[in-house]
Amino acid sequence: DVKLMKSLGMKAYRFSIAWPRIFPEGRGAVNPSGVNFYNTLINTLLENGIEPWVTLYHWDLPQALQDEYGGWLDREIINDFGEYARVCYSMFGDRVKHWITINESWSIAVNGYNNGVYAPGRAAHIETDTYTVGHHLILAHARAVKIYRSTFKEEQQGIVGISNCADYRYPKDNKSTLDNVAAQRAMIFQLGWFADPIWRGDYPKEMREILGNRLPIFSSEELLDVIGSSDFLGLNHYSSLLATTVQEPIFSGGYWADISVKFSSNPKWAKNAMGWSIVPDGCRDLLKWIDKRYGHPLIYMTENGSAFEENSREEALQDNDRQMYYEQYIRACREAIESGVELRGYFAWSLMDNFEWQFGYKRRFGLF
């Protein structure tokens, strides 16, 4: 695999450490085989001139912690995640200089605890669980960063950030005030939910107005840890949609009733095998939106890519659609940079076809 990376001229590779591989029980005894596996990978990357970018959590929670106290629903997860991060820093931080704490908090909270399509597949108390989990994810991230900065940064000289997902939302009718508000509300309930506390000091006021006491409150001590707790903004971006305000109430409740936005696609936009619209301009406009809202932060595109139907080996090898997708989206990134956005790096998703969650191996994002 590393030889393939080197043949492509890759200078960096982003991968995730599996928490259960380090702590099979979530805490306690470290698994030496897991540590050895990641040491071998990290060393091999560096020997081939490839910088490791390591994500601590990409959705693989130790089952023991889910069984013991409900995983991300309980505040105890903050302590356990912090100690897991501490061990990773101590084991690998002499060579790893770029860390990502949590990948796509929105996907964990909404798809795991509202839609019920990701682990742990809950959709029981969607009016509150989704936001409780989101709160604990932010606090766990902040704890991991605090530990790095207080104990490891001086010696290891690395940086730590968080990666959040965001799609761009255009108003369906640009002249409609309601549609413009709906588009912004959709952006705020996706990216703003997790980025505002870090870069602006609290949850978005729009969320507080809609959710009231269903949205948890940070204590003054917690805010000291949360604010500024990311050296960069990691962005996972794939698509864009049109937004309009829902005219009829959504009786299912939960997150989708809270944002009250109806999404649609422009018929002129092509779609990929996931049914996602291909809108390169949305990538540029999203980067500019982030730059303005968060005061010109340092940004890394930590995921961008597409899955396409490949009905034959020849079609897969030709790969024209994927090539065009990357050309268009990387061009959009360049346009954002030229407008003043501080975008420092770009990671394609993904190097190889992988297990695409509820879709299994039927959706192929890989370059290989």
Side-chain angles (χ1 to χ4, degrees):
D1 296 344
V2 177
K3 287 180 180 178
L4 283 175
M5 299 178 206
K6 188 173 183 179
S7 72
L8 290 176
M10 288 173 55
K11 302 301 181 186
Y13 177 61
R14 178 185 173 224
F15 66 92
S16 61
I17 292 176
W19 188 347
R21 230 171 172 172
I22 304 300
F23 287 109
E25 299 302 317
R27 61 164 84 91
V30 172
N31 173 26
S33 297
V35 173
N36 290 340
F37 172 83
Y38 291 112
N39 273 327
T40 301
L41 175 57
I42 292 165
N43 292 339
T44 305
L45 288 168
L46 291 171
E47 289 164 4
N48 285 274
I50 300 170
E51 188 74 19
W53 281 63
V54 176
T55 300
L56 290 171
Y57 188 76
H58 198 143
W59 312 349
D60 37 12
L61 178 73
Q63 185 66 44
L65 302 186
Q66 181 68 29
D67 294 340
E68 180 182 341
Y69 55 70
W72 289 105
L73 279 169
D74 195 283
R75 289 184 66 91
E76 187 60 28
I77 194 75
I78 301 165
N79 297 324
D80 285 336
F81 183 75
E83 290 310 304
Y84 158 61
R86 185 192 302 275
V87 168
C88 289
Y89 299 149
S90 65
M91 295 285 188
F92 313 119
D94 58 327
R95 288 150 293 152
V96 175
K97 305 304 175 185
H98 301 86
W99 296 93
I100 296 167
T101 55
I102 295 170
N103 183 76
E104 292 191 9
S105 297
W106 182 92
S107 296
I108 299 165
V110 174
N111 285 329
Y113 294 85
N114 188 97
N115 301 343
V117 295
Y118 289 177
R122 285 178 59 92
H125 307 289
I126 57 177
E127 287 79 10
T128 55
D129 282 1
T130 307
Y131 303 109
T132 299
V133 167
H135 196 66
H136 294 162
L137 286 161
I138 294 170
L139 292 173
H141 153 78
R143 177 69 61 83
V145 174
K146 184 177 183 179
I147 289 170
Y148 187 83
R149 290 176 176 175
S150 63
T151 307
F152 298 96
K153 186 173 178 62
E154 184 177 355
E155 179 181 351
Q156 296 181 358
Q157 292 297 300
I159 60 174
V160 187
I162 188 169
S163 286
N164 287 313
C165 55
D167 303 312
Y168 196 67
R169 307 309 191 195
Y170 293 100
K172 185 173 184 179
D173 179 356
N174 197 42
K175 297 179 181 179
S176 166
T177 300
L178 287 177
D179 285 5
N180 276 276
V181 170
Q184 289 301 304
R185 186 167 64 251
M187 301 277 290
I188 287 166
F189 263 77
Q190 186 181 40
L191 180 59
W193 178 6
F194 296 99
D196 272 35
I198 297 171
W199 278 273
R200 291 165 66 104
D202 204 353
Y203 288 121
K205 61 180 178 60
E206 295 90 341
M207 291 188 70
R208 182 67 66 193
E209 290 169 356
I210 292 170
L211 301 175
N213 60 12
R214 290 190 290 127
L215 186 65
I217 296 174
F218 294 106
S219 70
S220 56
E221 292 81 8
E222 289 170 342
L223 279 176
L224 289 175
D225 293 341
V226 170
I227 297 172
S229 63
S230 194
D231 296 321
F232 60 88
L233 191 154
L235 176 64
N236 296 355
H237 172 70
Y238 292 91
S239 184
S240 299
L241 283 172
L242 304 175
T244 187
T245 297
V246 173
Q247 300 299 321
E248 299 295 330
I250 299 175
F251 295 106
S252 59
Y255 175 83
W256 299 109
D258 293 333
I259 66 170
S260 190
V261 176
K262 181 180 180 180
F263 297 109
S264 60
S265 180
N266 188 322
K268 297 180 180 179
W269 294 340
K271 292 186 179 182
N272 65 11
M274 299 290 288
W276 299 346
S277 299
I278 298 173
V279 192
D281 287 351
C283 178
R284 179 199 62 223
D285 293 341
L286 173 61
L287 287 165
K288 292 170 70 174
W289 186 91
I290 291 170
D291 184 73
K292 181 178 180 180
R293 184 173 181 87
Y294 299 118
H296 195 57
L298 176 62
I299 304 171
Y300 286 92
M301 184 74 76
T302 44
E303 287 183 23
N304 178 242
S306 190
F308 292 100
E309 297 291 346
E310 297 167 348
N311 299 311
S312 67
R313 183 173 183 274
E314 291 71 24
E315 189 177 343
L317 288 172
Q318 195 69 23
D319 221 9
N320 291 332
D321 291 335
R322 183 169 285 106
Q323 178 181 334
M324 184 177 299
Y325 179 96
Y326 279 122
E327 286 180 356
Q328 292 175 338
Y329 272 79
I330 292 173
R331 185 178 298 115
C333 289
R334 185 196 67 192
E335 292 170 355
I337 293 169
E338 290 173 347
S339 74
V341 174
E342 191 71 13
L343 178 63
R344 290 281 187 89
Y346 174 98
F347 290 88
W349 185 269
S350 56
L351 178 67
M352 291 174 284
D353 293 335
N354 60 277
F355 185 77
E356 196 55 43
W357 309 108
Q358 73 268 38
F359 297 101
Y361 293 99
K362 294 181 180 179
R363 299 291 187 271
R364 299 180 177 184
F365 279 83
L367 299 176
F368 292 98

